[in-house]
Amino acid sequence: MELSEQELFRRQSLNTLRQMGIDPYPAALYPTNAFSTDIKAEFKDNDSEPREVCIAGRMMSRRIMGKAAFAELQDSKGRIQIYISRDDINTEAQPEMYNTVFKKLLDIGDFIGIRGFVFRTQMGEISVHAQELTVLSKALKPLPIVKYKDGVAYDKFDDPELRYRQRYVDLVVNDGVKDTFLKRATILRTMRNIFDEAGYTEVETPTLQSIAGGASARPFITHFNALNIDMYMRIATELYLKRLIVGGFEGVYEIGKNFRNEGMDRTHNPEFTCVELYVQYKDYNWMMDFTEKLLERICIAVNGTTETEIDGKVISFKAPYRRLPILEAIQEKTGYDLNGKSEDEIREICKALKMEIEPSMGKGKLIDEIFGEFCEGTYIQPTFITDYPVEMSPLTKAHRSKPGLTERFELMVNGKELANAYSELNDPIDQEERFVEQMRLADKGDDEAMIIDHDFLRALQYGMPPTSGIGMGIDRLVMLMTGKSTIGEVMFFPQMKPEKVVKKDTADKYLELGIPEEWIEPLQKLGYDMTAKLQGVSAGKLHQELCGYNKKNKLGLTNPVKEDVENWVK
């Protein structure tokens, strides 16, 4: 691993601390008894005795003024100023705690512990007067420091790829990032409370499944060595949760990861969190009412109101929401009435709408494509799109009064699907016929069609009561509730492409050009990591760069003469 000058310096400080008898990574418990935010909230100027506290966190800034200094400490809740005086923290055992340890060997990002008392400075800032300083953890890499002036951030750590790849740094240096994930925790906690209050049971079902069922999606495939069979990462929890309804649970829910081997964009990640809920003796009308109340209460818990703002739009989760059948939605947006139309007729309508369609697409997929292209993005306020054609809904009960349709809804918010729900199909014969139709689509080339799950059919044959179920994307819900427009902002560790490894020529390539060994590393540090990059470079410019790098980094090398550099770049 190549180390920067700062990293080398920090490692030297680490060794010096050890030589002084200070363990830079102590094992003992550090007895904190206060947090920065609580200290500030509970401070009273008229207290007869100053409050004694023991706090710990990262040192995020330092201003040294001779025998005293101010530092800013960041703990898990916020930041607080620390006043440090030489005479207070020096001890007989460590007389150089201030001048050597604090001033020279500690760096921004190091964890320290402070024992002291709370006071207000002459500038009016509530601070902690340090009486003892303990080194708790030495940071070997420097943090990117974001500077603020008049509310404006400078030197921001704002490259999305770096932020998502190094989320640990993002959480430390960027204000508001941790708040997003605290709100995510509030959403999950509120959701669980609502389900638990209703008497429903949280359960866990297999992540590795022998059949990828419960949704129309392409799965990830792995191999189970012990059984010598291929397995699938689950694309949904539906079929296993329904088995539990068959087994006698009133209501079951699971909050967990699903995996779909599909594309990545601002609203999709191959690994995502979903909640699914199934309740016996309910239908999709009841589920719409329940969903409205659920989202209204979550929004209030997160934002203190039933409204949230995203992409400059104010969205209200106040119940009730509009309910619109999908075929009416398509007619409203395109002018075409698809009621009673055959697959061939719908294919002709797609051509008239100038849509690109595949021969493998069945009737349901064609309708889904029309809705996705002309309708879905237009529903900003929460809208239930209902009564989907049977071809689009292989696990849904047939509509009680509309032939050819099913009792299904999708909840659209901000132009995207947030939830999908049914009156669940519990007729095992009808279900088997639907599965057979899915296999026909698979034979035509639809790689998202469902596979027949014979064990699930067997479970239905033992009898499943009338049931309603819903699946909701947690990541998209968090995006809506926190006003984030990309899914990477609400996932701690979204999927990323592998880090690019910079290719570098070996030393012998440089030596062949007559470049002395001691100048190879400086050249690579300046960006000439391949000898080919030296071709056509101005010898005068390169000579200046090398001399400047030598001086700035105090390498102590003898500068090359310009004629030598001219030979290198030839």
Side-chain angles (χ1 to χ4, degrees), residues 7-25 94 96-97 99-107 135 138 140:
E7 288 173 297
L8 290 169
F9 182 79
R10 286 176 181 239
R11 287 171 187 245
Q12 291 169 4
S13 298
L14 179 80
N15 292 331
T16 305
L17 285 169
R18 286 184 167 132
Q19 291 165 10
M20 294 178 66
I22 297 173
D23 185 352
Y25 305 106
Q94 290 294 349
E96 288 298 310
M97 183 59 74
N99 284 332
T100 301
V101 176
F102 176 73
K103 289 173 66 175
K104 298 178 181 178
L105 302 180
L106 289 183
D107 295 288
V135 179
K138 181 73 183 162
L140 299 184

Side-chain angles (χ1 to χ4, degrees), residues 506-517:
T506 54
D508 61 314
K509 297 277 189 182
Y510 294 87
L511 296 174
E512 286 173 8
L513 299 177
I515 298 171
E517 188 172 357

Side-chain angles (χ1 to χ4, degrees), residues 36 121 131 147 151-152 180-181 190 195 208 232 238 250 277 331 388 503 553:
S36 56
T121 66
Q131 294 175 303
K147 301 179 181 70
V152 179
T180 296
F181 292 98
T190 305
F195 293 162
L208 282 176
Y232 301 93
E238 177 169 346
E250 178 195 357
L277 166 72
Q331 186 172 7
Y388 283 68
K503 290 184 178 179
N553 293 282

Side-chain angles (χ1 to χ4, degrees), residues 98-124:
Y98 181 78
N99 284 332
T100 301
V101 176
F102 176 73
K103 289 173 66 175
K104 298 178 181 178
L105 302 180
L106 289 183
D107 295 288
I108 303 303
D110 290 351
F111 282 87
I112 59 174
I114 297 291
R115 287 182 185 270
F117 60 87
V118 187
F119 76 110
R120 190 188 293 275
T121 66
Q122 291 181 345
M123 298 299 292

Side-chain angles (χ1 to χ4, degrees), residues 17-57:
L17 285 169
R18 286 184 167 132
Q19 291 165 10
M20 294 178 66
I22 297 173
D23 185 352
Y25 305 106
L29 172 148
Y30 190 75
T32 58
N33 61 14
F35 291 101
S36 56
T37 50
D38 301 331
I39 289 171
K40 293 176 181 178
E42 296 164 8
F43 178 79
K44 294 184 177 62
D45 286 300
N46 55 3
D47 281 348
S48 56
E49 291 289 330
R51 177 185 175 185
E52 293 190 358
V53 295
C54 181
I55 60 174

